[in-house]
């Protein structure tokens, strides 16, 4: 056996530090830097300088440089308990009445941009097309239900890529397709798509590159509270 040839595939594998950094990697390092600032381990200037470096880092190894002198970088985080998102919302959590209706009959209707999603939205498409884009929406509630009915029509639903997405429904000579999505953030909104496609089409999937900003705002608020608490001492 040629041991050298046998070892080549393993030797050629890149080390973790050489891997390209993802947005999730940068967010993790940025969170550690925020905690260090709140604890007084970094000055405001040091924090700003390191954050700028994190944004420009290309590999995991480059990211680790900015936190290697901080205790949090050497602590093994406890694995969070995973609670599966149920296929349907909690009983009584969502009212039967819709906060808004989007209807297209022999026409088209669009709901997109910075808008308040509410708890329930009904979308009806009859020989028409409906587009529901939640990628920039304001989520005031953790659970959002979208009832989508398509009859000889088309309903397209797009959500941020860091929410959870569930679907319950079907098609009658039509297509009902919901891409199941699980968020790593336990407090992330959950979008439930419920409906039918009769000789029509209903699709729901994440919009890549779009993340709900409200989750990040909650994280920043937590850091700000810790910082204020530290300064009040």
């Amino acid at each position: 056996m040629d041991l050298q040839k046998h070892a080549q595939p393993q030797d050629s594998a890149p080390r973790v530090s050489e891997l390209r950094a993802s947005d999730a990697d940068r967010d993790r390092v940025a969170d550690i830097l925020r905690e260090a600032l709140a604890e007084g381990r970094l000055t405001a200037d040091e924090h700003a300088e390191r954050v700028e470096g994190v944004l420009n880092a290309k590999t995991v190894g480059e990211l680790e440089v900015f936190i290697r002198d901080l205790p949090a970088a050497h602590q093994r985080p406890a694995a969070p308990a995973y609670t599966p998102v149920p296929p349907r919302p909690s009983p009584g959590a969502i009212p039967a009445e819709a906060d808004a209706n989007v209807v297209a009959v022999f026409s088209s209707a669009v709901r997109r941009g910075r808008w308040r999603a509410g708890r329930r939205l009904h979308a009806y498409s009859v020989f028409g097309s409906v587009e529901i884009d939640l990628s920039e929406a304001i989520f005031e509630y953790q659970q959002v239900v979208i009832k989508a009915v398509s009859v000889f029509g088309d309903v397209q639903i797009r959500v941020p890529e860091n929410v959870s997405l569930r679907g319950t429904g079907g098609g009658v000579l039509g297509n009902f397709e919901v891409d199941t999505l699980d968020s790593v953030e336990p407090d992330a909104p959950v979008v439930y798509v419920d409906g039918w496609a009769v000789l029509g089409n209903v699709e729901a999937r994440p919009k890549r590159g779009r993340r709900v900003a409200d989750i990040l705002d909650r994280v920043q608020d937590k850091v700000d509270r810790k910082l204020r608490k530290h300064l009040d001492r």
Side-chain angles (χ1 to χ4, degrees), residues 20 23 27 32 40 69 73 93 97 128 133 142 145 148 161 177 190:
R20 300 285 293 189
D23 288 339
D27 289 344
I32 293 176
D69 60 344
E97 286 190 19
D133 190 342
Q142 187 178 22
V145 171
E161 62 179 357
E177 183 179 354
V190 183

Side-chain angles (χ1 to χ4, degrees), residues 28-30 32-33 50 63-74:
R28 176 182 63 84
V29 174
I32 293 176
L33 293 176
R50 295 194 186 196
L63 287 175
E64 297 299 329
V65 170
F66 298 104
I67 57 173
R68 63 186 177 188
D69 60 344
L70 300 175
H74 305 283

Side-chain angles (χ1 to χ4, degrees), residues 19-232:
L19 295 176
R20 300 285 293 189
S22 67
D23 288 339
D25 294 326
R26 295 185 182 90
D27 289 344
R28 176 182 63 84
V29 174
D31 287 340
I32 293 176
L33 293 176
R34 292 192 197 102
E35 293 288 343
L37 175 63
E39 294 169 356
R41 300 182 188 275
L42 294 176
T43 66
D45 290 340
E46 289 172 331
H47 175 262
E49 182 180 355
R50 295 194 186 196
V51 168
E52 183 178 359
V54 166
L55 296 176
N56 294 323
K58 297 295 189 297
T59 67
V60 173
E62 292 176 6
L63 287 175
E64 297 299 329
V65 170
F66 298 104
I67 57 173
R68 63 186 177 188
D69 60 344
L70 300 175
H74 305 283
Q75 296 173 357
R76 179 171 295 179
Y82 174 68
T83 303
V85 176
R88 291 182 177 275
S90 305
I94 307 298
E97 286 190 19
D99 297 304
N101 294 287
V102 182
V103 181
V105 180
F106 289 98
S107 61
S108 63
V110 178
R111 180 67 63 90
R112 68 161 72 102
R114 195 67 171 162
W115 59 287
R116 299 183 183 276
R119 285 181 291 184
R120 176 182 286 274
L121 175 68
H122 290 175
Y124 301 100
S125 175
V126 181
F127 289 97
S129 65
V130 171
E131 179 186 352
I132 306 295
D133 190 342
L134 294 164
S135 62
E136 298 180 22
I138 299 172
F139 286 87
E140 298 180 310
Y141 304 94
Q142 187 178 22
Q143 296 182 333
V144 178
V145 171
I146 299 178
K147 181 179 180 181
V149 177
S150 173
V151 180
F152 288 96
D154 180 55
V155 177
Q156 297 286 333
I157 301 167
R158 297 293 180 266
V159 302
E161 62 179 357
N162 60 336
V163 306
S164 293
L165 179 63
R166 293 291 184 271
T168 303
V172 179
L173 298 178
N175 176 60
F176 181 90
E177 183 179 354
V178 176
D179 290 351
T180 299
L181 182 65
D182 286 296
S183 175
V184 297
E185 169 63 49
D187 295 328
V190 183
V191 178
Y192 295 95
V193 178
D194 180 18
W196 287 90
V198 181
L199 291 167
N201 180 64
V202 174
E203 292 184 8
R205 59 172 55 97
K207 193 169 185 177
R208 299 302 177 189
R210 294 289 187 176
R211 299 171 62 84
V212 58
D214 305 86
I215 296 175
L216 302 180
D217 290 342
R218 288 198 295 270
V219 173
Q220 186 61 52
D221 288 342
K222 179 181 177 182
V223 175
D224 291 341
R225 287 196 299 270
K226 292 185 69 174
L227 179 59
R228 287 195 296 268
K229 183 179 179 181
H230 175 76
L231 295 176
D232 291 340

Side-chain angles (χ1 to χ4, degrees), residues 5-26:
K5 289 184 179 180
H6 183 71
Q8 278 182 350
Q10 187 175 16
D11 293 343
S12 62
R15 294 189 297 269
V16 174
S17 61
E18 297 173 343
L19 295 176
R20 300 285 293 189
S22 67
D23 288 339
D25 294 326
R26 295 185 182 90

